[in-house]
Amino acid sequence: MADQENNKKGQIWAFLITGIVILISLLYYKANIYYMYLVAYMWFGFAYGMMLQYGRFCFASASRDLFAAGVPRMAVGILVALIFFSLIQATLASTNMSTFHPAPFGIHTLISGMIFGVGMVLAGGCASGSLYKIGEGNGTSFLAAFFGLCIGQAVFVDVKWFNFLIPQKWVDSALAKGLPADKMTSSFDTYLAGYVWNQPTLQMSHTKAISDAFPGALKYFVGDSLLNALIPATVLLIVIYWVWIRKGFMKKRAKQKGGATGFGDELAGLWNMITASKRTTLMGVLIGIVAGLHIFVMKGLQIKFGVGNFGQLLTRMGHTGDVSIRGTVFDPGYWYITSQEGQLGAWILEKFGWNMRDNIFFGINNGLPEPWRNPALWMSLGIIFGAMAMARLNNEFKFKLPKGELIAWGLIGGLLMGWGSRPALGCNIGAFFIRVAGGDPSGWLYGIGMVGGAFIGVKFFNWWSERKMAKEMEAF
Amino acid sequence: MAMKFEKTGEGAYMLDVCGYVCPHPQIYCKKSLEKMNEGDVVEVILDNPSSVETITQMCEQVGHEVLDKKTEGGKIYMKIKKG
């Protein structure tokens, strides 16, 4: 009886949340048709949130649960999503409907991934994972997202604290770019203009070898999808099966069959691993497809409105204070987390008198729109709303205030995620998932760093929990 | 909020990780099972839904048996027999 009542309450809440998102959409539509661009981001965010929550989809748990509990559920889900997303990315690129662009390739990507990897394990969720967990009522995730991704990230790009790490040649190279002096004041600015921008970008389909061998649309399918995503993802699935699953599965299989096992059993084992958590794998497929559709819709809206960035629409509407000196705002055109949280952090800090526009990140590249006119921020809010609706539907919403050690882990982890996402210009989504599927090998570099960082984080938690268990067991 | 791991009887244990988020519940659950003998049963109490998914798969892989799983008042109760 109580369960039925809770189910009904959950359903009402889910309808209420969805109704609020519909109402917001209608208000924006009434204000100006250009805001449909922003509304599209919000609804894709809503869809991501629902899928992430239902599939318990979190990039942190992909490597963390492998190392901590030997469970490959999430790693499999992500690789499945990657496979589907890369195929759609290739289709969109071949029809000139992709918004993807590769990132500068260098060792900074690996280091950045590693810092982020430690952070996401400590915080208990990756960038998008933290957002969907806020939707479940998780206070630790809120701490990580607010103080780490929002405030921590904004401070990181605006301070001079890291000047001691900057070599003179970066300073010289940055100055040679001729950027306005009042927009290049922080350590991160010198790093960006003096180092990152000098690094090459690499997209498999655009390499000479691939474009010569596979002219036309085929280069996207072979170079970007097959070589950069499908083959590595399949190899990783086999490695995960071999290291974590095979022994136990084959033992069970041999017992069932009462004898020797063969190649067919190996394939069955691999399939069993992929389908072990149906909800995660199913959401992996859906997330891959929706992420592709998201690119298609954003590109379609850009064509419809005749723009390449939402900043142009803001300018047309007269909101010139929102945009950077290039007339742009942060508008990735696909699933992306972290930069928009940094913008929210900067917006808050500005209210306390901090000049946040005297740097490249906000002043030249991403602008600093009011939060209600920030397209990517609406995607993040959409994720929270979508996850909340799904959690309410499944009676899994619960306010959990962060207490004790979780406050420390949330804050430290959030800060490391914020700081770890900036040097590589993205997080687990923007720097790993999107890049790998788009044919940019630097995505794998970030992924390797992220897994390495997660390993360190898990080692630390193992040591920590072992200490606590020993204390608990003193009593018996 | 504090993690509790108690012996509640002969071969019976209770692990309370309510309030904890990932990855703590699954790590504590794994460590508790490592400390127990084969055939012992632990009741795990948690309120982090995504950990349940991981713990269930971990038990299946290693050969532990999930005897019971129920949700009451926002808390999830799992009874696991070490295999």
Side-chain angles (χ1 to χ4, degrees):
Chain A
M1 193 68 185
D3 276 354
Q4 271 183 346
E5 204 172 298
N6 282 338
N7 285 344
K8 206 172 175 186
K9 265 189 199 167
Q11 285 167 6
I12 292 168
W13 267 108
F15 279 118
L16 200 65
I17 295 158
T18 312
I20 289 170
V21 179
I22 292 171
L23 186 67
I24 293 169
S25 308
L26 292 172
L27 288 172
Y28 273 111
Y29 175 71
K30 197 167 173 352
N32 196 312
I33 187 74
Y34 289 156
Y35 285 126
M36 287 301 98
Y37 196 92
L38 188 148
V39 169
Y41 266 119
M42 181 172 65
W43 279 103
F44 274 103
F46 193 84
Y48 292 136
M50 290 190 92
M51 292 184 289
L52 291 168
Q53 202 282 334
Y54 182 78
R56 295 31 174 127
F57 220 90
C58 174
F59 283 61
S61 69
S63 34
R64 183 195 65 205
D65 285 355
L66 259 187
F67 299 138
V71 172
R73 168 184 77 84
M74 200 60 255
V76 169
I78 286 168
L79 292 170
V80 168
L82 206 53
I83 287 170
F84 278 84
F85 184 40
S86 79
L87 285 168
I88 296 175
Q89 270 268 53
T91 310
L92 293 171
S94 64
T95 52
N96 205 21
M97 285 298 286
S98 175
T99 50
F100 176 75
H101 48 83
F105 194 106
I107 191 72
H108 63 284
T109 317
L110 184 78
I111 298 167
S112 190
M114 193 167 273
I115 298 169
F116 187 90
V118 177
M120 70 181 183
V121 169
L122 294 188
C126 62
S128 47
S130 293
L131 290 182
Y132 100 65
K133 286 172 185 181
I134 292 175
E136 287 180 342
N138 187 326
T140 307
S141 296
F142 176 80
L143 279 186
F146 185 76
F147 289 102
L149 297 180
C150 295
I151 304 292
Q153 209 187 159
V155 169
F156 181 75
V157 299
D158 196 55
V159 293
K160 298 182 176 73
W161 301 344
F162 307 101
N163 277 356
F164 70 97
L165 289 170
I166 308 271
Q168 187 58 39
K169 63 175 183 182
W170 292 7
V171 178
D172 297 338
S173 174
L175 288 173
K177 301 274 186 325
L179 297 164
D182 65 330
K183 298 288 180 205
M184 210 178 69
T185 57
S186 70
S187 310
F188 187 70
D189 292 339
T190 316
Y191 162 80
L192 259 189
Y195 168 72
V196 174
W197 291 353
N198 296 339
Q199 304 311 304
T201 58
L202 183 59
Q203 189 174 359
M204 295 301 276
S205 57
H206 289 55
T207 56
K208 191 167 168 9
I210 299 290
S211 53
D212 284 353
F214 304 97
L218 205 57
K219 65 175 179 281
Y220 297 108
F221 288 94
V222 176
D224 295 346
S225 185
L226 184 68
L227 290 179
N228 201 61
L230 295 189
I231 292 176
T234 309
V235 169
L236 276 175
L237 281 172
I238 293 168
V239 168
I240 291 169
Y241 165 71
W242 202 266
V243 176
W244 280 279
I245 301 294
R246 184 175 180 272
K247 199 176 157 192
F249 181 83
M250 293 309 261
K251 202 173 150 188
K252 262 193 232 167
R253 197 78 167 179
K255 208 173 167 187
Q256 281 167 0
K257 289 174 88 170
T261 52
F263 184 66
D265 297 302
E266 300 283 6
L267 289 178
L270 199 58
W271 183 247
N272 186 271
M273 176 187 81
I274 292 169
T275 55
S277 176
K278 288 185 179 57
R279 65 198 293 165
T280 303
T281 304
L282 178 67
M283 286 306 114
V285 174
L286 278 180
I287 284 172
I289 294 170
V290 172
L293 190 65
H294 187 182
I295 293 180
F296 177 74
V297 169
M298 296 324 295
K299 184 73 179 179
L301 284 169
Q302 286 178 1
I303 293 169
K304 177 177 168 52
F305 294 133
V307 296
N309 183 283
F310 187 63
Q312 293 166 269
L313 295 180
L314 283 171
T315 306
R316 276 187 210 168
M317 290 187 282
H319 302 301
T320 48
D322 287 357
V323 302
S324 70
I325 56 168
R326 285 183 181 158
T328 54
V329 290
F330 180 64
D331 174 16
Y334 40 72
W335 186 13
Y336 202 104
I337 315 286
T338 62
S339 290
Q340 59 266 40
E341 277 80 21
Q343 285 178 309
L344 177 63
W347 180 83
I348 293 168
L349 290 172
E350 266 205 330
K351 302 295 167 210
F352 288 92
W354 194 320
N355 180 6
M356 296 305 293
R357 292 165 198 260
D358 59 347
N359 56 58
I360 294 175
F361 191 73
F362 299 117
I364 296 180
N365 283 349
N366 297 312
L368 208 43
E370 299 291 343
W372 50 92
R373 289 197 292 264
N374 186 334
L377 188 61
W378 273 110
M379 176 165 53
S380 297
L381 292 171
I383 291 176
I384 296 173
F385 287 141
M388 198 180 280
M390 185 57 93
R392 287 285 187 185
L393 272 178
N394 292 311
N395 276 333
E396 290 176 345
F397 180 90
K398 191 182 174 196
F399 273 120
K400 272 192 279 183
L401 286 175
K403 287 179 192 164
E405 65 189 88
L406 292 186
I407 295 175
W409 305 145
L411 288 174
I412 299 169
L415 277 175
L416 288 176
M417 278 202 289
W419 294 358
S421 59
R422 261 325 87 219
L425 315 179
C427 61
N428 55 299
I429 301 297
F432 169 69
F433 187 67
I434 300 284
R435 282 181 202 165
V436 168
D440 177 354
S442 79
W444 285 115
L445 206 55
Y446 192 85
I448 292 167
M450 207 163 61
V451 171
F455 184 76
I456 295 168
V458 166
K459 281 274 167 204
F460 170 73
F461 269 153
N462 265 333
W463 167 79
W464 180 265
S465 51
E466 194 62 48
R467 266 179 71 240
K468 289 186 79 171
M469 287 297 288
K471 213 171 171 188
E472 285 292 300
M473 290 180 72
E474 277 171 4
F476 50 92
Chain B
M1 181 198 73
M3 179 275 292
K4 273 185 216 150
F5 181 52
E6 291 170 3
K7 191 166 185 176
T8 52
E10 202 47 51
Y13 297 85
M14 188 275 297
L15 173 71
D16 185 347
V17 279
C18 284
Y20 279 94
V21 295
C22 289
H24 305 275
Q26 47 265 50
I27 290 183
Y28 282 123
C29 183
K30 184 175 183 245
K31 291 204 176 290
S32 305
L33 285 159
E34 282 169 2
K35 313 279 179 203
M36 293 159 46
N37 295 318
E38 201 174 321
D40 288 353
V41 174
V42 61
E43 182 174 44
V44 186
I45 309 167
L46 69 163
D47 55 4
N48 188 50
S50 53
S51 295
V52 177
E53 197 81 8
T54 304
I55 290 170
T56 306
Q57 206 181 344
M58 177 182 80
C59 291
E60 200 175 300
Q61 274 168 222
V62 181
H64 306 317
E65 195 183 345
V66 179
L67 301 173
D68 189 29
K69 188 162 69 178
K70 61 181 179 190
T71 306
E72 268 176 26
K75 289 183 181 176
I76 303 145
Y77 296 79
M78 295 178 85
K79 257 193 186 152
I80 303 168
K81 186 178 175 185
K82 180 166 176 170

